[in-house]
């Protein structure tokens, strides 16, 4: 089965600092989703990457998928308290190619200190 | 437009009871997926339905079942509840045509928090 490892598990940064969250797969990814979650709430879609070497940005958040499609990073520039939450990566298994059957990492808890 | 809506938002049950969770997808979305998220972990895939047919099932016991209705809404049923079933249950919908991924965005509801005592 496909496993996703996220690092770090938790991150505390001062407002204005940059940060990076990593997501590593044990197998080649068909595609990868990044979501943000507030504690006990639903997941908010951030980005979806499918092609090796792909990079997408939205506001101050940039996500990249490496050429081998086994590792992704999420970078936040000039962090703000509104960025605080749990960041989850979800992999599309290459066996099914179905985006609805995602395997998620354990999440990275981000705290941004004002 | 309304997003994915789930009901109820919170539920408390006792061991051995049965529970039904409901989900309405975004208008126009025909695919619904269910996930279980235990505290401190990422969501785990339970079921996916498209056009009322089961298209995928995760590694969950037969106590878990689901169905999708003609209006594409869905129910998740859990029988003989165990303490370990306590979790946030998430429903997701997408606009895909039921086949393999082609850039679909998967949208999640706010979830139903189930506590089993």
């Amino acid at each position: 089965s496909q496993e996703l490892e996220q690092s770090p598990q938790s991150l505390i940064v001062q407002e204005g600092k940059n940060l990076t969250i990593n997501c590593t797969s044990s197998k080649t990814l068909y595609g990868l989703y990044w979501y943000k979650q507030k504690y006990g709430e639903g997941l908010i879609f951030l980005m979806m990457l499918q092609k090796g070497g792909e990079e997408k940005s939205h506001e101050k958040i940039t996500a990249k998928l490496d050429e081998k499609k086994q590792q992704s990073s999420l970078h936040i520039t000039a962090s703000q308290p509104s960025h605080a939450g749990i960041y989850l990566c979800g992999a599309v298994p290459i066996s099914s190619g179905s985006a609805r059957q995602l395997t998620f990492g354990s999440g990275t808890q981000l705290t941004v200190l004002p | 437009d309304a997003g994915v809506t789930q009901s109820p938002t919170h539920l408390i049950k006792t061991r051995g009871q049965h529970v039904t969770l409901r989900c309405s997808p975004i208008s126009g979305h025909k695919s619904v997926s269910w996930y279980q998220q235990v505290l401190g972990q990422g969501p785990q895939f339970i079921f996916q339905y498209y056009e009322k047919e089961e298209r995928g099932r995760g590694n969950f016991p037969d106590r878990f079942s689901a169905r999708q209705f003609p209006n594409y809404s869905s129910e998740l049923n859990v029988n003989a509840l165990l303490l370990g079933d306590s979790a946030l249950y998430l429903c997701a919908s997408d606009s895909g045509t039921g086949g393999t991924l082609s850039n679909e965005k998967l949208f999640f509801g706010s979830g139903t928090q189930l506590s089993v005592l």
Side-chain angles (χ1 to χ4, degrees):
Chain A
S1 62
Q2 186 147 35
E3 292 185 359
L4 284 182
E5 188 172 322
Q6 276 188 247
S7 62
Q9 286 187 324
S10 65
L11 195 53
I12 301 174
V13 300
Q14 204 71 40
E15 183 177 359
K17 295 295 185 183
N18 302 334
L19 63 103
T20 300
I21 298 169
N22 294 300
C23 178
T24 302
S25 171
S26 58
K27 299 181 180 180
T28 301
L29 298 163
Y30 189 95
L32 187 105
Y33 285 79
W34 281 101
Y35 286 91
K36 178 186 175 185
Q37 184 179 33
K38 292 285 190 182
Y39 180 77
E41 297 181 8
L43 278 61
I44 300 168
F45 173 84
L46 294 175
M47 269 166 276
M48 185 257 177
L49 304 165
Q50 196 174 0
K51 299 176 183 176
E54 188 174 12
E55 179 175 321
K56 289 186 178 178
S57 294
H58 178 66
E59 297 180 344
K60 294 185 178 180
I61 301 176
T62 300
K64 301 177 184 179
L65 183 62
D66 74 337
E67 290 289 344
K68 292 184 179 180
K69 296 177 67 175
Q70 284 192 276
Q71 190 163 6
S72 179
S73 61
L74 187 82
H75 183 77
I76 299 177
T77 303
S79 59
Q80 301 169 352
S82 61
H83 287 128
I86 300 167
Y87 288 82
L88 291 155
C89 60
V92 179
I94 204 165
S95 56
S96 71
S98 174
R100 298 94 177 193
Q101 303 176 23
L102 299 178
T103 297
F104 282 92
S106 297
T108 295
Q109 173 77 57
L110 173 63
T111 302
V112 180
L113 302 176
Chain B
D1 286 340
V4 178
T5 57
Q6 293 187 242
S7 63
T9 54
H10 295 84
L11 203 51
I12 299 174
K13 292 284 188 178
T14 56
R15 281 180 298 174
Q17 284 189 312
H18 163 271
V19 69
T20 298
L21 309 181
R22 295 178 175 83
C23 172
S24 292
I26 291 172
S27 178
H29 287 191
K30 300 179 180 179
S31 174
V32 169
S33 305
W34 287 95
Y35 287 79
Q36 180 198 65
Q37 187 178 23
V38 173
L39 188 64
Q41 298 181 17
Q44 271 199 295
F45 170 73
I46 310 175
F47 285 112
Q48 186 232 329
Y49 277 79
Y50 178 78
E51 289 277 17
K52 297 175 288 181
E53 289 188 6
E54 183 183 300
R55 292 298 187 97
R57 172 186 282 254
N59 189 22
F60 279 80
D62 292 342
R63 299 185 296 107
F64 288 76
S65 63
R67 55 179 176 167
Q68 186 176 31
F69 300 99
N71 66 354
Y72 305 114
S73 67
S74 179
E75 282 183 354
L76 176 70
N77 295 284
V78 187
N79 293 323
L81 285 167
L82 303 174
L83 296 180
D85 295 331
S86 296
L88 180 68
Y89 288 85
L90 296 162
C91 174
S93 76
D94 69 79
S95 58
T97 57
T100 54
L101 174 70
S102 64
N103 244 357
E104 296 105 346
K105 292 180 182 178
L106 198 61
F107 294 94
F108 282 82
S110 298
T112 294
Q113 184 66 56
L114 173 65
S115 298
V116 182
L117 306 178

